[in-house]
């Protein structure tokens, strides 16, 4: 949408997207949220970025599209923004030090199959020698057989398998499972 059109439609669009994004979120333990991305969530992020940065030139729009389109699932995978959440800044700093490697230990599992571990942060490194970041971008690749099993009714689970943070959701809530299956096309 143009900036003018988005300004007119933003209140209603934003309300819909907040509800939509909420339905695509998964809490894994008390301090981790996965927000599953799709074309609609990415469009919302792009519209907000264009609005905030006042970008209206075709080159600037193309640049934003190139950055954000990599978050859209391609039919063989699921993509999520991972948030590690600790309200207290001191505790957050301590925990991010203890949770190095967190993003590489996130998994999803189709019933009857081995877990699929995340491919994390393909855009740039978000971890250093002393700590991990509070935000990561995850991609989970599924085989055609796994996707067929999901579409045939197999349960889907997710979790984090790290010594300092071991949590899982088994199975995922039905409404989230259905939304994610739709991402496979």
């Amino acid at each position: 949408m143009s900036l003018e059109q988005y300004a007119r439609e933003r209140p209603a669009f934003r309300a819909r997207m907040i509800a939509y994004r909420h339905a695509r979120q998964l809490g894994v333990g008390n301090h981790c949220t996965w927000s599953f991305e799709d074309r609609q969530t990415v469009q919302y992020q792009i519209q907000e970025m264009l609005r905030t940065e006042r970008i209206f030139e075709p080159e600037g729009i193309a640049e934003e599209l190139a950055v954000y389109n990599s978050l859209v699932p391609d039919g063989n995978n699921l993509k999520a923004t991972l948030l590690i959440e600790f309200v207290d800044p001191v505790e957050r700093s301590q925990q991010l030090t203890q949770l190095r490697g967190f993003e590489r230990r996130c998994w999803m599992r189709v019933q009857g199959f081995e877990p699929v571990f995340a491919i994390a942060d393909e855009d740039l490194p978000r971890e250093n020698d002393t700590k991990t970041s509070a935000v990561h971008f995850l991609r989970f690749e599924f085989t055609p057989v796994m996707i067929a099993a999901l579409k045939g009714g197999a349960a889907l689970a997710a979790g984090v398998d790290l010594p300092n943070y071991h949590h899982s959701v088994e199975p995922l809530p039905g409404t989230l499972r259905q939304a994610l299956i739709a991402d496979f096309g």
Side-chain angles (χ1 to χ4, degrees), residues 88-123:
D88 178 63
V90 173
E91 181 184 15
R92 181 183 321 116
S93 179
Q94 292 169 344
Q95 290 295 327
L96 292 176
T97 297
Q98 294 177 15
L99 296 174
R100 282 192 70 240
F102 191 102
E103 65 281 7
R104 292 183 302 279
R105 300 307 304 163
C106 296
W107 55 265
M108 297 190 81
R109 185 179 59 241
V110 177
Q111 181 182 11
F113 295 88
E114 291 297 313
V116 173
F117 283 88
I119 299 165
D121 303 325
E122 295 174 284
D123 59 338

PDB file of all heavy atoms in Angstrom, residues 88-123:
ATOM      1  N   ASP A  88      13.853  -8.112  33.486  1.00  0.00           N
ATOM      2  CA  ASP A  88      14.917  -7.418  34.210  1.00  0.00           C
ATOM      3  C   ASP A  88      16.208  -7.405  33.376  1.00  0.00           C
ATOM      4  O   ASP A  88      16.697  -8.472  32.987  1.00  0.00           O
ATOM      5  CB  ASP A  88      15.168  -8.115  35.552  1.00  0.00           C
ATOM      6  CG  ASP A  88      16.291  -7.469  36.321  1.00  0.00           C
ATOM      7  OD1 ASP A  88      16.158  -6.284  36.682  1.00  0.00           O
ATOM      8  OD2 ASP A  88      17.322  -8.154  36.546  1.00  0.00           O
ATOM      9  N   PRO A  89      16.759  -6.228  33.093  1.00  0.00           N
ATOM     10  CA  PRO A  89      17.973  -6.144  32.251  1.00  0.00           C
ATOM     11  C   PRO A  89      19.177  -6.898  32.816  1.00  0.00           C
ATOM     12  O   PRO A  89      19.940  -7.494  32.052  1.00  0.00           O
ATOM     13  CB  PRO A  89      18.263  -4.648  32.169  1.00  0.00           C
ATOM     14  CG  PRO A  89      17.021  -3.964  32.579  1.00  0.00           C
ATOM     15  CD  PRO A  89      16.265  -4.908  33.470  1.00  0.00           C
ATOM     16  N   VAL A  90      19.344  -6.906  34.125  1.00  0.00           N
ATOM     17  CA  VAL A  90      20.476  -7.615  34.722  1.00  0.00           C
ATOM     18  C   VAL A  90      20.303  -9.122  34.542  1.00  0.00           C
ATOM     19  O   VAL A  90      21.227  -9.825  34.120  1.00  0.00           O
ATOM     20  CB  VAL A  90      20.637  -7.244  36.219  1.00  0.00           C
ATOM     21  CG1 VAL A  90      21.696  -8.103  36.888  1.00  0.00           C
ATOM     22  CG2 VAL A  90      20.966  -5.764  36.360  1.00  0.00           C
ATOM     23  N   GLU A  91      19.095  -9.606  34.833  1.00  0.00           N
ATOM     24  CA  GLU A  91      18.824 -11.031  34.641  1.00  0.00           C
ATOM     25  C   GLU A  91      18.954 -11.410  33.162  1.00  0.00           C
ATOM     26  O   GLU A  91      19.508 -12.461  32.821  1.00  0.00           O
ATOM     27  CB  GLU A  91      17.423 -11.402  35.146  1.00  0.00           C
ATOM     28  CG  GLU A  91      17.114 -12.880  34.984  1.00  0.00           C
ATOM     29  CD  GLU A  91      15.714 -13.265  35.391  1.00  0.00           C
ATOM     30  OE1 GLU A  91      14.845 -12.374  35.538  1.00  0.00           O
ATOM     31  OE2 GLU A  91      15.479 -14.474  35.541  1.00  0.00           O
ATOM     32  N   ARG A  92      18.448 -10.549  32.261  1.00  0.00           N
ATOM     33  CA  ARG A  92      18.544 -10.820  30.826  1.00  0.00           C
ATOM     34  C   ARG A  92      20.001 -10.994  30.415  1.00  0.00           C
ATOM     35  O   ARG A  92      20.360 -11.945  29.720  1.00  0.00           O
ATOM     36  CB  ARG A  92      17.908  -9.698  30.014  1.00  0.00           C
ATOM     37  CG  ARG A  92      17.954  -9.949  28.508  1.00  0.00           C
ATOM     38  CD  ARG A  92      17.381  -8.816  27.671  1.00  0.00           C
ATOM     39  NE  ARG A  92      16.211  -8.202  28.234  1.00  0.00           N
ATOM     40  CZ  ARG A  92      16.144  -6.932  28.642  1.00  0.00           C
ATOM     41  NH1 ARG A  92      17.200  -6.138  28.531  1.00  0.00           N
ATOM     42  NH2 ARG A  92      15.040  -6.451  29.151  1.00  0.00           N
ATOM     43  N   SER A  93      20.858 -10.095  30.848  1.00  0.00           N
ATOM     44  CA  SER A  93      22.275 -10.164  30.505  1.00  0.00           C
ATOM     45  C   SER A  93      22.891 -11.463  31.011  1.00  0.00           C
ATOM     46  O   SER A  93      23.635 -12.141  30.281  1.00  0.00           O
ATOM     47  CB  SER A  93      23.002  -8.958  31.088  1.00  0.00           C
ATOM     48  OG  SER A  93      24.362  -9.024  30.788  1.00  0.00           O
ATOM     49  N   GLN A  94      22.587 -11.835  32.245  1.00  0.00           N
ATOM     50  CA  GLN A  94      23.119 -13.078  32.813  1.00  0.00           C
ATOM     51  C   GLN A  94      22.612 -14.293  32.041  1.00  0.00           C
ATOM     52  O   GLN A  94      23.375 -15.205  31.716  1.00  0.00           O
ATOM     53  CB  GLN A  94      22.728 -13.197  34.288  1.00  0.00           C
ATOM     54  CG  GLN A  94      23.383 -12.181  35.179  1.00  0.00           C
ATOM     55  CD  GLN A  94      22.776 -12.155  36.579  1.00  0.00           C
ATOM     56  OE1 GLN A  94      21.686 -12.678  36.812  1.00  0.00           O
ATOM     57  NE2 GLN A  94      23.479 -11.519  37.503  1.00  0.00           N
ATOM     58  N   GLN A  95      21.317 -14.313  31.749  1.00  0.00           N
ATOM     59  CA  GLN A  95      20.721 -15.463  31.061  1.00  0.00           C
ATOM     60  C   GLN A  95      21.237 -15.599  29.630  1.00  0.00           C
ATOM     61  O   GLN A  95      21.485 -16.715  29.160  1.00  0.00           O
ATOM     62  CB  GLN A  95      19.192 -15.355  31.061  1.00  0.00           C
ATOM     63  CG  GLN A  95      18.573 -15.554  32.435  1.00  0.00           C
ATOM     64  CD  GLN A  95      18.795 -16.961  32.967  1.00  0.00           C
ATOM     65  OE1 GLN A  95      18.846 -17.931  32.237  1.00  0.00           O
ATOM     66  NE2 GLN A  95      18.937 -17.054  34.291  1.00  0.00           N
ATOM     67  N   LEU A  96      21.395 -14.483  28.927  1.00  0.00           N
ATOM     68  CA  LEU A  96      21.882 -14.564  27.554  1.00  0.00           C
ATOM     69  C   LEU A  96      23.307 -15.115  27.496  1.00  0.00           C
ATOM     70  O   LEU A  96      23.695 -15.749  26.517  1.00  0.00           O
ATOM     71  CB  LEU A  96      21.780 -13.205  26.857  1.00  0.00           C
ATOM     72  CG  LEU A  96      20.352 -12.716  26.595  1.00  0.00           C
ATOM     73  CD1 LEU A  96      20.366 -11.323  25.983  1.00  0.00           C
ATOM     74  CD2 LEU A  96      19.557 -13.687  25.745  1.00  0.00           C
ATOM     75  N   THR A  97      24.055 -14.914  28.562  1.00  0.00           N
ATOM     76  CA  THR A  97      25.387 -15.511  28.660  1.00  0.00           C
ATOM     77  C   THR A  97      25.274 -17.024  28.844  1.00  0.00           C
ATOM     78  O   THR A  97      25.992 -17.794  28.218  1.00  0.00           O
ATOM     79  CB  THR A  97      26.169 -14.886  29.835  1.00  0.00           C
ATOM     80  OG1 THR A  97      26.340 -13.494  29.565  1.00  0.00           O
ATOM     81  CG2 THR A  97      27.530 -15.523  30.009  1.00  0.00           C
ATOM     82  N   GLN A  98      24.340 -17.451  29.690  1.00  0.00           N
ATOM     83  CA  GLN A  98      24.160 -18.880  29.966  1.00  0.00           C
ATOM     84  C   GLN A  98      23.461 -19.625  28.831  1.00  0.00           C
ATOM     85  O   GLN A  98      23.535 -20.850  28.763  1.00  0.00           O
ATOM     86  CB  GLN A  98      23.354 -19.058  31.255  1.00  0.00           C
ATOM     87  CG  GLN A  98      24.076 -18.573  32.481  1.00  0.00           C
ATOM     88  CD  GLN A  98      23.217 -18.711  33.729  1.00  0.00           C
ATOM     89  OE1 GLN A  98      22.209 -19.398  33.735  1.00  0.00           O
ATOM     90  NE2 GLN A  98      23.619 -18.037  34.791  1.00  0.00           N
ATOM     91  N   LEU A  99      22.797 -18.902  27.956  1.00  0.00           N
ATOM     92  CA  LEU A  99      21.995 -19.541  26.908  1.00  0.00           C
ATOM     93  C   LEU A  99      22.672 -19.513  25.528  1.00  0.00           C
ATOM     94  O   LEU A  99      21.998 -19.646  24.511  1.00  0.00           O
ATOM     95  CB  LEU A  99      20.611 -18.885  26.844  1.00  0.00           C
ATOM     96  CG  LEU A  99      19.756 -19.055  28.100  1.00  0.00           C
ATOM     97  CD1 LEU A  99      18.474 -18.263  27.989  1.00  0.00           C
ATOM     98  CD2 LEU A  99      19.474 -20.524  28.377  1.00  0.00           C
ATOM     99  N   ARG A 100      23.995 -19.366  25.488  1.00  0.00           N
ATOM    100  CA  ARG A 100      24.701 -19.410  24.203  1.00  0.00           C
ATOM    101  C   ARG A 100      24.356 -20.702  23.480  1.00  0.00           C
ATOM    102  O   ARG A 100      24.310 -21.757  24.073  1.00  0.00           O
ATOM    103  CB  ARG A 100      26.205 -19.336  24.417  1.00  0.00           C
ATOM    104  CG  ARG A 100      26.668 -17.921  24.695  1.00  0.00           C
ATOM    105  CD  ARG A 100      28.171 -17.759  24.625  1.00  0.00           C
ATOM    106  NE  ARG A 100      28.612 -17.895  23.241  1.00  0.00           N
ATOM    107  CZ  ARG A 100      29.471 -18.834  22.834  1.00  0.00           C
ATOM    108  NH1 ARG A 100      29.992 -19.676  23.669  1.00  0.00           N
ATOM    109  NH2 ARG A 100      29.828 -18.882  21.567  1.00  0.00           N
ATOM    110  N   GLY A 101      24.090 -20.600  22.187  1.00  0.00           N
ATOM    111  CA  GLY A 101      23.733 -21.759  21.384  1.00  0.00           C
ATOM    112  C   GLY A 101      22.252 -22.075  21.382  1.00  0.00           C
ATOM    113  O   GLY A 101      21.811 -23.018  20.731  1.00  0.00           O
ATOM    114  N   PHE A 102      21.462 -21.288  22.092  1.00  0.00           N
ATOM    115  CA  PHE A 102      20.013 -21.495  22.223  1.00  0.00           C
ATOM    116  C   PHE A 102      19.357 -21.720  20.867  1.00  0.00           C
ATOM    117  O   PHE A 102      18.600 -22.674  20.671  1.00  0.00           O
ATOM    118  CB  PHE A 102      19.414 -20.259  22.902  1.00  0.00           C
ATOM    119  CG  PHE A 102      17.995 -20.401  23.352  1.00  0.00           C
ATOM    120  CD1 PHE A 102      17.711 -20.633  24.683  1.00  0.00           C
ATOM    121  CD2 PHE A 102      16.935 -20.277  22.462  1.00  0.00           C
ATOM    122  CE1 PHE A 102      16.399 -20.748  25.117  1.00  0.00           C
ATOM    123  CE2 PHE A 102      15.631 -20.388  22.877  1.00  0.00           C
ATOM    124  CZ  PHE A 102      15.360 -20.632  24.216  1.00  0.00           C
ATOM    125  N   GLU A 103      19.655 -20.825  19.927  1.00  0.00           N
ATOM    126  CA  GLU A 103      18.994 -20.842  18.620  1.00  0.00           C
ATOM    127  C   GLU A 103      19.267 -22.127  17.838  1.00  0.00           C
ATOM    128  O   GLU A 103      18.459 -22.532  17.011  1.00  0.00           O
ATOM    129  CB  GLU A 103      19.401 -19.614  17.806  1.00  0.00           C
ATOM    130  CG  GLU A 103      20.866 -19.546  17.426  1.00  0.00           C
ATOM    131  CD  GLU A 103      21.811 -19.069  18.527  1.00  0.00           C
ATOM    132  OE1 GLU A 103      21.387 -18.896  19.692  1.00  0.00           O
ATOM    133  OE2 GLU A 103      22.998 -18.864  18.207  1.00  0.00           O
ATOM    134  N   ARG A 104      20.374 -22.781  18.096  1.00  0.00           N
ATOM    135  CA  ARG A 104      20.714 -24.015  17.383  1.00  0.00           C
ATOM    136  C   ARG A 104      20.093 -25.248  18.032  1.00  0.00           C
ATOM    137  O   ARG A 104      20.171 -26.341  17.465  1.00  0.00           O
ATOM    138  CB  ARG A 104      22.232 -24.171  17.286  1.00  0.00           C
ATOM    139  CG  ARG A 104      22.870 -23.126  16.381  1.00  0.00           C
ATOM    140  CD  ARG A 104      24.362 -23.336  16.222  1.00  0.00           C
ATOM    141  NE  ARG A 104      25.102 -23.313  17.484  1.00  0.00           N
ATOM    142  CZ  ARG A 104      25.485 -22.198  18.120  1.00  0.00           C
ATOM    143  NH1 ARG A 104      25.173 -21.020  17.605  1.00  0.00           N
ATOM    144  NH2 ARG A 104      26.161 -22.260  19.248  1.00  0.00           N
ATOM    145  N   ARG A 105      19.484 -25.082  19.193  1.00  0.00           N
ATOM    146  CA  ARG A 105      18.880 -26.212  19.905  1.00  0.00           C
ATOM    147  C   ARG A 105      17.349 -26.160  19.871  1.00  0.00           C
ATOM    148  O   ARG A 105      16.679 -26.911  20.555  1.00  0.00           O
ATOM    149  CB  ARG A 105      19.377 -26.250  21.356  1.00  0.00           C
ATOM    150  CG  ARG A 105      20.885 -26.394  21.498  1.00  0.00           C
ATOM    151  CD  ARG A 105      21.489 -27.566  20.733  1.00  0.00           C
ATOM    152  NE  ARG A 105      20.858 -28.819  21.130  1.00  0.00           N
ATOM    153  CZ  ARG A 105      20.930 -29.948  20.437  1.00  0.00           C
ATOM    154  NH1 ARG A 105      21.614 -29.988  19.306  1.00  0.00           N
ATOM    155  NH2 ARG A 105      20.331 -31.033  20.863  1.00  0.00           N
ATOM    156  N   CYS A 106      16.795 -25.276  19.052  1.00  0.00           N
ATOM    157  CA  CYS A 106      15.349 -25.211  18.858  1.00  0.00           C
ATOM    158  C   CYS A 106      14.964 -26.265  17.828  1.00  0.00           C
ATOM    159  O   CYS A 106      15.644 -26.429  16.820  1.00  0.00           O
ATOM    160  CB  CYS A 106      14.937 -23.814  18.353  1.00  0.00           C
ATOM    161  SG  CYS A 106      15.268 -22.494  19.525  1.00  0.00           S
ATOM    162  N   TRP A 107      13.870 -26.975  18.089  1.00  0.00           N
ATOM    163  CA  TRP A 107      13.479 -28.056  17.191  1.00  0.00           C
ATOM    164  C   TRP A 107      11.958 -28.097  17.005  1.00  0.00           C
ATOM    165  O   TRP A 107      11.204 -27.568  17.819  1.00  0.00           O
ATOM    166  CB  TRP A 107      13.968 -29.409  17.713  1.00  0.00           C
ATOM    167  CG  TRP A 107      13.527 -29.725  19.126  1.00  0.00           C
ATOM    168  CD1 TRP A 107      14.236 -29.500  20.270  1.00  0.00           C
ATOM    169  CD2 TRP A 107      12.284 -30.307  19.548  1.00  0.00           C
ATOM    170  NE1 TRP A 107      13.511 -29.895  21.371  1.00  0.00           N
ATOM    171  CE2 TRP A 107      12.309 -30.403  20.960  1.00  0.00           C
ATOM    172  CE3 TRP A 107      11.151 -30.751  18.875  1.00  0.00           C
ATOM    173  CZ2 TRP A 107      11.244 -30.930  21.700  1.00  0.00           C
ATOM    174  CZ3 TRP A 107      10.087 -31.274  19.618  1.00  0.00           C
ATOM    175  CH2 TRP A 107      10.147 -31.361  21.009  1.00  0.00           C
ATOM    176  N   MET A 108      11.572 -28.741  15.917  1.00  0.00           N
ATOM    177  CA  MET A 108      10.172 -29.079  15.674  1.00  0.00           C
ATOM    178  C   MET A 108      10.162 -30.556  15.285  1.00  0.00           C
ATOM    179  O   MET A 108      11.121 -31.046  14.676  1.00  0.00           O
ATOM    180  CB  MET A 108       9.564 -28.212  14.575  1.00  0.00           C
ATOM    181  CG  MET A 108       9.545 -26.739  14.959  1.00  0.00           C
ATOM    182  SD  MET A 108       8.571 -25.741  13.822  1.00  0.00           S
ATOM    183  CE  MET A 108       6.921 -26.104  14.489  1.00  0.00           C
ATOM    184  N   ARG A 109       9.086 -31.244  15.653  1.00  0.00           N
ATOM    185  CA  ARG A 109       9.024 -32.671  15.361  1.00  0.00           C
ATOM    186  C   ARG A 109       7.629 -33.062  14.896  1.00  0.00           C
ATOM    187  O   ARG A 109       6.643 -32.785  15.581  1.00  0.00           O
ATOM    188  CB  ARG A 109       9.406 -33.502  16.578  1.00  0.00           C
ATOM    189  CG  ARG A 109       9.475 -35.007  16.287  1.00  0.00           C
ATOM    190  CD  ARG A 109       9.884 -35.846  17.478  1.00  0.00           C
ATOM    191  NE  ARG A 109       8.941 -35.654  18.566  1.00  0.00           N
ATOM    192  CZ  ARG A 109       9.254 -35.160  19.767  1.00  0.00           C
ATOM    193  NH1 ARG A 109      10.481 -34.797  20.038  1.00  0.00           N
ATOM    194  NH2 ARG A 109       8.337 -35.016  20.690  1.00  0.00           N
ATOM    195  N   VAL A 110       7.580 -33.703  13.743  1.00  0.00           N
ATOM    196  CA  VAL A 110       6.350 -34.293  13.240  1.00  0.00           C
ATOM    197  C   VAL A 110       6.243 -35.671  13.882  1.00  0.00           C
ATOM    198  O   VAL A 110       7.230 -36.420  13.933  1.00  0.00           O
ATOM    199  CB  VAL A 110       6.394 -34.417  11.694  1.00  0.00           C
ATOM    200  CG1 VAL A 110       5.145 -35.102  11.169  1.00  0.00           C
ATOM    201  CG2 VAL A 110       6.582 -33.040  11.057  1.00  0.00           C
ATOM    202  N   GLN A 111       5.069 -36.002  14.368  1.00  0.00           N
ATOM    203  CA  GLN A 111       4.839 -37.296  15.007  1.00  0.00           C
ATOM    204  C   GLN A 111       5.341 -38.430  14.112  1.00  0.00           C
ATOM    205  O   GLN A 111       5.029 -38.491  12.925  1.00  0.00           O
ATOM    206  CB  GLN A 111       3.346 -37.462  15.271  1.00  0.00           C
ATOM    207  CG  GLN A 111       2.950 -38.736  15.955  1.00  0.00           C
ATOM    208  CD  GLN A 111       1.442 -38.817  16.136  1.00  0.00           C
ATOM    209  OE1 GLN A 111       0.684 -38.045  15.592  1.00  0.00           O
ATOM    210  NE2 GLN A 111       1.011 -39.787  16.930  1.00  0.00           N
ATOM    211  N   GLY A 112       6.184 -39.291  14.695  1.00  0.00           N
ATOM    212  CA  GLY A 112       6.725 -40.427  13.959  1.00  0.00           C
ATOM    213  C   GLY A 112       8.057 -40.149  13.278  1.00  0.00           C
ATOM    214  O   GLY A 112       8.618 -41.046  12.641  1.00  0.00           O
ATOM    215  N   PHE A 113       8.580 -38.936  13.407  1.00  0.00           N
ATOM    216  CA  PHE A 113       9.841 -38.558  12.768  1.00  0.00           C
ATOM    217  C   PHE A 113      10.809 -37.997  13.805  1.00  0.00           C
ATOM    218  O   PHE A 113      10.408 -37.608  14.898  1.00  0.00           O
ATOM    219  CB  PHE A 113       9.609 -37.505  11.672  1.00  0.00           C
ATOM    220  CG  PHE A 113       8.798 -38.002  10.518  1.00  0.00           C
ATOM    221  CD1 PHE A 113       7.413 -37.927  10.546  1.00  0.00           C
ATOM    222  CD2 PHE A 113       9.420 -38.559   9.411  1.00  0.00           C
ATOM    223  CE1 PHE A 113       6.654 -38.387   9.479  1.00  0.00           C
ATOM    224  CE2 PHE A 113       8.676 -39.021   8.343  1.00  0.00           C
ATOM    225  CZ  PHE A 113       7.279 -38.942   8.377  1.00  0.00           C
ATOM    226  N   GLU A 114      12.066 -37.931  13.415  1.00  0.00           N
ATOM    227  CA  GLU A 114      13.087 -37.307  14.253  1.00  0.00           C
ATOM    228  C   GLU A 114      12.882 -35.790  14.253  1.00  0.00           C
ATOM    229  O   GLU A 114      12.325 -35.239  13.304  1.00  0.00           O
ATOM    230  CB  GLU A 114      14.494 -37.645  13.734  1.00  0.00           C
ATOM    231  CG  GLU A 114      14.878 -39.097  13.903  1.00  0.00           C
ATOM    232  CD  GLU A 114      14.949 -39.520  15.351  1.00  0.00           C
ATOM    233  OE1 GLU A 114      15.567 -38.787  16.160  1.00  0.00           O
ATOM    234  OE2 GLU A 114      14.386 -40.581  15.690  1.00  0.00           O
ATOM    235  N   PRO A 115      13.354 -35.109  15.291  1.00  0.00           N
ATOM    236  CA  PRO A 115      13.223 -33.643  15.316  1.00  0.00           C
ATOM    237  C   PRO A 115      13.990 -32.970  14.176  1.00  0.00           C
ATOM    238  O   PRO A 115      15.013 -33.474  13.727  1.00  0.00           O
ATOM    239  CB  PRO A 115      13.832 -33.234  16.665  1.00  0.00           C
ATOM    240  CG  PRO A 115      13.982 -34.475  17.443  1.00  0.00           C
ATOM    241  CD  PRO A 115      14.003 -35.622  16.479  1.00  0.00           C
ATOM    242  N   VAL A 116      13.473 -31.838  13.750  1.00  0.00           N
ATOM    243  CA  VAL A 116      14.130 -30.979  12.771  1.00  0.00           C
ATOM    244  C   VAL A 116      14.680 -29.792  13.566  1.00  0.00           C
ATOM    245  O   VAL A 116      13.902 -29.048  14.179  1.00  0.00           O
ATOM    246  CB  VAL A 116      13.117 -30.486  11.712  1.00  0.00           C
ATOM    247  CG1 VAL A 116      13.753 -29.452  10.799  1.00  0.00           C
ATOM    248  CG2 VAL A 116      12.547 -31.649  10.920  1.00  0.00           C
ATOM    249  N   PHE A 117      15.991 -29.632  13.585  1.00  0.00           N
ATOM    250  CA  PHE A 117      16.592 -28.523  14.326  1.00  0.00           C
ATOM    251  C   PHE A 117      16.667 -27.283  13.433  1.00  0.00           C
ATOM    252  O   PHE A 117      16.818 -27.379  12.222  1.00  0.00           O
ATOM    253  CB  PHE A 117      17.976 -28.907  14.863  1.00  0.00           C
ATOM    254  CG  PHE A 117      17.889 -29.786  16.068  1.00  0.00           C
ATOM    255  CD1 PHE A 117      17.805 -31.165  15.940  1.00  0.00           C
ATOM    256  CD2 PHE A 117      17.838 -29.234  17.340  1.00  0.00           C
ATOM    257  CE1 PHE A 117      17.693 -31.986  17.050  1.00  0.00           C
ATOM    258  CE2 PHE A 117      17.727 -30.039  18.467  1.00  0.00           C
ATOM    259  CZ  PHE A 117      17.652 -31.426  18.322  1.00  0.00           C
ATOM    260  N   ALA A 118      16.556 -26.139  14.063  1.00  0.00           N
ATOM    261  CA  ALA A 118      16.516 -24.871  13.342  1.00  0.00           C
ATOM    262  C   ALA A 118      17.833 -24.555  12.663  1.00  0.00           C
ATOM    263  O   ALA A 118      18.910 -24.841  13.188  1.00  0.00           O
ATOM    264  CB  ALA A 118      16.166 -23.739  14.310  1.00  0.00           C
ATOM    265  N   ILE A 119      17.703 -23.958  11.503  1.00  0.00           N
ATOM    266  CA  ILE A 119      18.812 -23.272  10.847  1.00  0.00           C
ATOM    267  C   ILE A 119      18.612 -21.818  11.252  1.00  0.00           C
ATOM    268  O   ILE A 119      17.565 -21.228  10.968  1.00  0.00           O
ATOM    269  CB  ILE A 119      18.741 -23.455   9.319  1.00  0.00           C
ATOM    270  CG1 ILE A 119      18.838 -24.940   8.973  1.00  0.00           C
ATOM    271  CG2 ILE A 119      19.842 -22.635   8.641  1.00  0.00           C
ATOM    272  CD1 ILE A 119      18.422 -25.269   7.559  1.00  0.00           C
ATOM    273  N   ALA A 120      19.572 -21.266  11.963  1.00  0.00           N
ATOM    274  CA  ALA A 120      19.360 -19.972  12.614  1.00  0.00           C
ATOM    275  C   ALA A 120      20.203 -18.859  12.008  1.00  0.00           C
ATOM    276  O   ALA A 120      21.338 -19.086  11.572  1.00  0.00           O
ATOM    277  CB  ALA A 120      19.672 -20.087  14.104  1.00  0.00           C
ATOM    278  N   ASP A 121      19.619 -17.682  11.998  1.00  0.00           N
ATOM    279  CA  ASP A 121      20.337 -16.431  11.734  1.00  0.00           C
ATOM    280  C   ASP A 121      21.144 -16.450  10.439  1.00  0.00           C
ATOM    281  O   ASP A 121      22.340 -16.168  10.427  1.00  0.00           O
ATOM    282  CB  ASP A 121      21.245 -16.090  12.916  1.00  0.00           C
ATOM    283  CG  ASP A 121      20.465 -15.980  14.214  1.00  0.00           C
ATOM    284  OD1 ASP A 121      19.319 -15.507  14.166  1.00  0.00           O
ATOM    285  OD2 ASP A 121      20.999 -16.385  15.262  1.00  0.00           O
ATOM    286  N   GLU A 122      20.458 -16.754   9.347  1.00  0.00           N
ATOM    287  CA  GLU A 122      21.143 -16.796   8.060  1.00  0.00           C
ATOM    288  C   GLU A 122      21.521 -15.406   7.566  1.00  0.00           C
ATOM    289  O   GLU A 122      22.377 -15.266   6.696  1.00  0.00           O
ATOM    290  CB  GLU A 122      20.260 -17.494   7.032  1.00  0.00           C
ATOM    291  CG  GLU A 122      20.032 -18.951   7.397  1.00  0.00           C
ATOM    292  CD  GLU A 122      19.061 -19.638   6.487  1.00  0.00           C
ATOM    293  OE1 GLU A 122      17.846 -19.402   6.618  1.00  0.00           O
ATOM    294  OE2 GLU A 122      19.537 -20.405   5.623  1.00  0.00           O
ATOM    295  N   ASP A 123      20.887 -14.374   8.135  1.00  0.00           N
ATOM    296  CA  ASP A 123      21.163 -13.013   7.682  1.00  0.00           C
ATOM    297  C   ASP A 123      22.463 -12.464   8.259  1.00  0.00           C
ATOM    298  O   ASP A 123      23.216 -11.782   7.583  1.00  0.00           O
ATOM    299  CB  ASP A 123      19.993 -12.081   7.990  1.00  0.00           C
ATOM    300  CG  ASP A 123      19.655 -12.009   9.472  1.00  0.00           C
ATOM    301  OD1 ASP A 123      20.014 -12.942  10.233  1.00  0.00           O
ATOM    302  OD2 ASP A 123      19.020 -11.025   9.880  1.00  0.00           O
TER     303      ASP A 123
END
